[in-house]
Structure formats: C-alpha cells, structure tokens
Amino acid sequence: MSESLFPRRVVDVLVPLALDQAYSYRVPPGIEVAPGDVVVVPLGQREYTAVVWGEGTARPGLDNRLKDIVAKLDLPPLKTELRQFIDWVSDYTLAARGTVLRMSLRMGELGPEKPRYAVRLAGPPPQRMTPARGRVLALMQDALARAKAEVVQEAGVSSGVIDGLVDEGTLETVELPPAPLAQPPNPDFLAPDFSPAQRSGADTLRETVAKSGFSVTLVDGVTGSGKTEVYFEAVAENIRRGRQTLILMPEIALTGQFLDRFALRFGVRPAEWHSQLSPRKRARTYAGVTANEISVVVGARSALFLPYADLGLIILDEEHDPAYKQEDGARYHARDMAVVRARAAQIPILLASATPSVETEVNARRNRYRRVHLPERFGGQLQPSIEAIDLKREGPARGRFIAPRLAEAVKIALERGEQALLFLNRRGYAPLTLCRSCGHRLQCPNCDAWLVDHRFKRRLVCHLCGFSMPPPNVCVKCEAVDSFAAVGPGVERLEEEVATLFPASRVLVLSSDLVESMDRLRAELDDVAQGRFDIIIGTQLVAKGHNFPKLNLVGVVDADLGLGNGDPRATERTFQLLHQVIGRAGRSEGFGAGYLQTHQPEHPVMRALIAADREAFYSNEIELREKSAYPPFGRLAGVVVSGSDKHATEAYARRFAAAAPHDTHVKVLGPAEAPLAVVRGRFRFRLLAKSPRNYDLSAYLRDWRAAGPKITGNLKLEIDVDPQNFS
Ligand code: ADP
Ligand code: ZN
C-alpha cells in the first residue's frame, strides 16, 4: 500500500536543545497526540524527550522524508499557558526556544524506590546488658518502629549496638512504606496574632488571592516587619482554594530557616525545587507538581518553568535580589518573567522586599503595582541605628582593617553576651598578592584578573575561571625569595585580625567557597541562630533573610566596595545590600547598631542609610535614571563578543556594530573593551543598545543578529536583554 494515499498527520515538535524552531514529525498509527503532549522523537543519532508544539504543515511528497514520533509519554501535557510562556521568554530574551523548554522538562529520573528499613522490639532482652543496650531498650519499650538513624540519635549509641540487638532477636527489622513526598499543608495549622498593620496587609493579600485574576502587589516592609508571616496568609488562602503556590527565593541554599517557619505555620515542610535535588527526588517532585499532589513549591528561579497543574499564586521573596537574573543559558530575569507568567495564567503575584528594586518602586509609585506597607518591626523592635566610620579620619592602623571604634563596639557587644557580624563581600584572604622587591602582581594566566589568596586552602585562585596554584616562594619576575605580600582584606584575613583582637571569642567565617554542602551550611546558620558563635565574618551569604536573635551589631568593613565598578546599578545594589545586612541586627532584643567603614561618608548611599531615609534614596535614584533614560525609563541590551584572538574578536565586534539596523529609536554604543577584558583566555568586547521604554528592543536585536556577519572560528556572540551585569 502506498503511503501517499493515506498521508499521515504531521506535527511540530520542540526538542529541548539550543534550537529555535520546532521540527516536523509524522504521527504513526496507534499514537494520538495533541499540542503540549510529551513525546519521544529521534534527532540525529539520539532520541529526545520533547513536546508537541503545534500542528505541522503537511507538505505532500515531502512527508516521506520525515521521521516518526517514537512514543508518547504518560505525563500530563504542557498547558497552553506554559507553552505560551516559553514562547514569550524565548522571544523576549532571544534564547533559543528549545533552551527555554529544557527548563520545563527537568524531570529527573524515576527509579525504583530505595526500600526504607526500621527496627522495633521483637523478643526478650539480650543475655548481656550494657548501658548502651539499656538506653536502646528503654527507648524501644513502646514497640513502635523507628528508623535506625533515629535510634542512633535518640539513644546515643552506635549503629553496631542496634545490629547486635537484631542479631540476638531482641529487635527485628521491618520495611517501611515509601516516605510521602509532601504532606498537604494545613492552612489553619497555626496562624499568628497579627499587629494591626500586619492584619490589614494580610487581609488585603487574602482578598487578592480570593479574587484571583492577574495583579502585582509589592509587600514592602522593613526587615523584621513580618513580611513572611503576612504573605503566608495569601498562601493559606490559595491552599484553601485547592490551587498551587510557587514561592521563589533568590538563593535556595539559604532557606533552611524558611522551611522550618513554613512548617510552624502549615504543619509540614513545602516541596523544594533547585539544582541540588537528587534525580529521584526531582522526579517525584516533578510528577507531584504536574499531578497537583504538591500544593506549595519553594524554589530557585528555575521553578518558574515547572508544569504546574493549577498554579494559583506566585510569591517572589527579596524581589530586588540580583541572583534572580540568570546569566548563562537562557538569560532571563526571574522577577520579570514571573510577572509575565502570572499574567499568562491570570493569577496574582506578590513581590516582597525591604528595599525594592528601582523598577518595582517606580511601578508601585505609579500605581501599576499595589503596595502593602509594613512600616514597623514586629514586637516594637527598632530599626538599627547606623553610623559611619570615616576611614580617612579614624581608620585602622596600616595592615589592619577594623577601625578602633568598630573594635570597641564589638568588644561591648561581646561583653553583653551578644553577637557581632563583620560583613565583607570578599572571599579569600587577600584580593591581591604582590612582590615587595619588584612590585610584580600575581595575575591569572587566562584572565584579566589578579589571583586571590585563599589561605585556608593554601592556593591562589582566579575568581573568574577557577585557575589555582600553590603560592610561589620565588618571584617569577625578580627571583626574590619569600617576597610576596598580601594587599587588602578578604574574610579570611579579617578572621586573623579578629583572633588577635578577641582571642577568647568563637568565630565563624561564612563564605560560599568554604561551604561544603547545603546541609552543612544550614547547620552552621542554625548554630549562629542558637548563639554558638560570638563573631560571624561573612560575605553576602550572610546578608539574606536570616534571623539571628542574639545579633545586635553589624560592622560593614568596606562599605565602598560595590560603588566603584561603573555599573549603572552600583548605588542601588550597594544601598540594598548594606540595608539588608545591617537589617540582621537587633531583630529580637536590645538595640541594633550598624557601622559603615567608608571613605565617602557624604555619598548619597551612606547618607540615606545613616538618616534611615529610604524615600530620599529612591527619589534621588529615580530622578537620575529618568534623566539618563536608564531602566525602567529606557531599555538596555548588552552584547558581548568574545574570542581567543584579540584582533579577530575586535574586528568582528566592529563589523557587528556596523551591521546594526538603522533606527532612530535605538542608540548603539561601542564596541569597547569589556571591563573584564580577558576571561578564560578569551578577549571580550562590549556593545550596548539603548532604546525608549515602549520600544520592542528584542525584535530589533533579532534583526540585528540576523544581519550581523557570520560567526566563524571560536568567536561567540552573547546578547543580554535587560542586563544586570556590565563587566
Ligand atoms: P521580614 O520577612 O519582614 O524580615 P519576618 O516575617 O521574618 O520579617 O518576621 C520577623 C520575625 O518576627 C520572625 O521571627 C517572625 O516569626 C516574627 N513575627 C512577625 N510577625 C509576627 C507575629 N504576628 N506573631 C509572632 N511573630 C511574628
Ligand atoms: Zn582566570
């Protein structure tokens, strides 16, 4: 029988690879597919899990060359709402459609469940009793089955003791049913007593959820005002309605405390979604989300792309956080895309922050976003008082980094039995190592960057490419021996200084490169909260979201650090980061105090922080942005051309600039050597496109990319719409 007499149906299938187009496949007999269905298709030498994107166009005669769909998977189809969202993100960011789809298909691997075993009392006491055995028997008298690890912990014995009791028949091993993935949260488990301001905010949010439909609400409250407690009421309402909630967090590694607080409010922990889930947990969570068996997901930005069965509410905590911008693969800003997703699904979204992004603040001031305002800390605690320490006038001695006034404040805090946090956003021991006899600076062989001294690891490390080497004894340039000196402080060097100033104190250094695992970090943060450390020295890892009840003093060792990098958002970032880290102080008892060590006490950021005048800061910053037509009053896109040959790279960047379509609305600047001129042996040149706010800059960029000269060799062209990073 000739196939052409019975033409097969053809559909377009999007494969999760860096491809923009969906490809046509034939639907074999026996398989029924509709748009959104998850299927397996061959491509090249491999088969891929992919998604039917739409009806294909049958082209008589040509269809015989098309390949068949191999199978349809037993998964709920991706809803139209999600497929439109994927298309939208791809169109807006210029990331390949397949790259964006891949984020929706990270379904992990469903394998057989690992059996779980427990022990329980089964027979008479053993012949020989020991104190350890006695503790186990006392614990197990109730005849309940307990996981072995639990017995180890509660009875304080080694697992060998338990094995011995099993061998003697006193205990028996039983198999447990698989652990339930996520128990349904109980919206009425334990609601707090709210202050009047909190109550009114909670009511507004609850009504917003009850009304449903698309809306954006800024939950704007000082640190410690109870934003989380208040938005939990919106979550509760959404749970009562049987719909799913997504809570996005900038840094999921730091959410240990959050999960516990959720459990206090709702009786159980929520499901988590982030890159560190095991494949099996990922698979079970994915399946639970698609089947509406999981009602609340707390996740990193990638959780935005999950195929929720019935998403009813999105919450973005710390909405101003730069970590929401993904910088590799698809370059998207999770806050902006979350608003788009909420609009596509016609549901409310809540943005929470004590220091909103300028974009969000402008939207709230112009009433495009509603604002729920919590002006005071819960329980009457005051905001920390903030003082500057002028490093030009009262700085520390040479080679020291803690000014006498800050050291004195730390001493007083310790005497009171309180904690102190010294904040320095710089990993390692020292940012620069130079030879005392010839001035030679140790540089990364691959990058335009100095090597950072990491003494704990005894390595010099490049923070851009990861290159590392042991510290040399001899200067490569002048051959002087032992001539290298560390210049400037990192957190490890501060620890050295703290150890000499406060030898009796218990000190913890928290910095991302020292974190061995998420569990370990969560345990350390918990130790801090329990008061097991006196002085915490940390990078921005400690700035976010934690509640340390005994912490009343925060010293910012270098408040100017983020200001000098030529980034248009430098002042905003510095204000947010410093406000947030000082906001860790004085949350429970006593008075919080913050010290800013700075060379520029008159800088608008420092003045706004000291005067606790947030409105002045925003008004000033908004005016500047408006004048210079920077976001949100104009639009920006960054283009980076990189390659291993400097001249070829620069030449390409020039030709690409020359290919920019002429349009009076768009101004193209550059190319210029990027601030990070060489990374991983690749030379980098930057271009910047500027347009008015209501202009479709993405469409312009797509035309530009198409008109640009062909990419050859190892050149690379990266386009970043709404760039957050200008390095
Ligand atoms: P924010 O997110 O605004 O910094 P949180 O929601 O973390 O504030 O609240 C700060 C602290 O105050 C938390 O320990 C929280 O449990 C507590 N808190 C806030 N509101 C209440 C309330 N109504 N009743 C009891 N504790 C509250
Ligand atoms: Zn490097």
Side-chain angles (χ1 to χ4, degrees), residues 638-657 671-674 676-677 682-687 704 711-712 714-719:
V639 177
V640 173
V641 178
S642 65
S644 55
D645 181 276
K646 185 172 179 183
H647 292 292
T649 308
E650 184 168 14
Y652 181 88
R654 288 193 188 293
R655 279 185 286 134
F656 189 75
E673 196 166 68
L676 294 177
R682 297 175 66 84
F683 294 85
R684 303 169 77 245
F685 290 84
R686 270 191 169 276
L687 295 135
W704 186 7
I711 301 268
T712 54
N714 68 5
L715 286 174
K716 208 161 132 194
L717 177 77
E718 290 166 288
I719 297 179

Side-chain angles (χ1 to χ4, degrees), residues 205 216-221 319 349-357 360-361 363-365 369-373 614:
L205 297 186
V216 188
T217 307
L218 169 61
V219 183
D220 171 5
E319 69 90 30
I349 175 167
L350 315 180
L351 307 175
S353 178
T355 50
S357 61
T360 296
E361 178 64 23
N363 280 324
R365 288 188 178 194
Y369 293 178
R370 196 160 0 146
R371 190 194 299 262
V372 162
H373 194 211
R614 204 187 77 164

Side-chain angles (χ1 to χ4, degrees), residues 605-616:
V605 167
M606 307 307 157
R607 292 206 345 219
L609 287 167
I610 292 161
D613 194 349
R614 204 187 77 164
E615 299 318 306

